[in-house]
Amino acid sequence: QVQLVESGGGVVQTGGSLRLSCAVSGKISSINVMNWYRQAPGKQRELVAGIGRGGTTNYADSVKGRFTISSDSAKNTVHLQMNSLKPEDTAVYYCYAVVVERTTPRAYWGQGTQVTVSS
């Protein structure tokens, strides 16, 4: 059974940094894409950053220059380094992955990790 396990959330002051990690476990052939989403109270879930198999990355405009997504393919893990954090970055952050099980791609979500930025 495929699982996504996130870690690294917490409380930080404005201007601080946090590093989120998401590890994919289970029997998979490959990972096509890994993304980070976030959802703040009363708001829709939004894409924060993503990384494809070839290493191509994309970011929401609101986090460009502050957040960096990276992956460790050997460990099936993706990281999100978040610097210069702002109160508006406060949200539950979710890991999302499209993995290939044998030959079938399937999408999975992590359970979410809370990030709180205090002013």
Side-chain angles (χ1 to χ4, degrees):
Q1 185 177 358
V2 176
Q3 286 187 318
L4 274 58
V5 179
E6 299 138 340
S7 60
V11 180
V12 65
Q13 290 187 332
T14 297
S17 299
L18 284 173
R19 186 175 189 241
L20 305 182
S21 297
C22 173
V24 179
S25 63
K27 202 167 184 180
I28 61 174
S29 300
S30 61
I31 300 175
N32 286 348
V33 64
M34 295 192 79
N35 294 339
W36 285 99
Y37 287 79
R38 68 186 181 188
Q39 188 167 18
K43 294 188 176 181
Q44 289 189 330
R45 191 171 296 189
E46 63 173 354
L47 177 65
V48 176
I51 186 166
R53 282 185 71 178
T56 303
T57 59
N58 61 285
Y59 297 92
D61 287 343
S62 59
V63 306
K64 282 181 182 176
R66 300 188 298 123
F67 291 10
T68 303
I69 190 170
S70 61
S71 64
D72 183 339
S73 57
K75 296 181 180 179
N76 290 338
T77 300
V78 66
H79 305 287
L80 185 68
Q81 178 66 43
M82 305 185 295
N83 298 328
S84 302
L85 283 162
K86 305 175 181 179
E88 51 262 43
D89 295 317
T90 295
V92 178
Y93 284 69
Y94 296 91
C95 179
Y96 168 90
V98 176
V99 305
V100 178
E101 298 177 73
R102 293 189 184 180
T103 59
T104 305
R106 290 192 174 94
Y108 291 89
W109 289 92
Q111 79 282 1
T113 185
Q114 177 70 46
V115 171
T116 302
V117 184
S118 62
S119 56

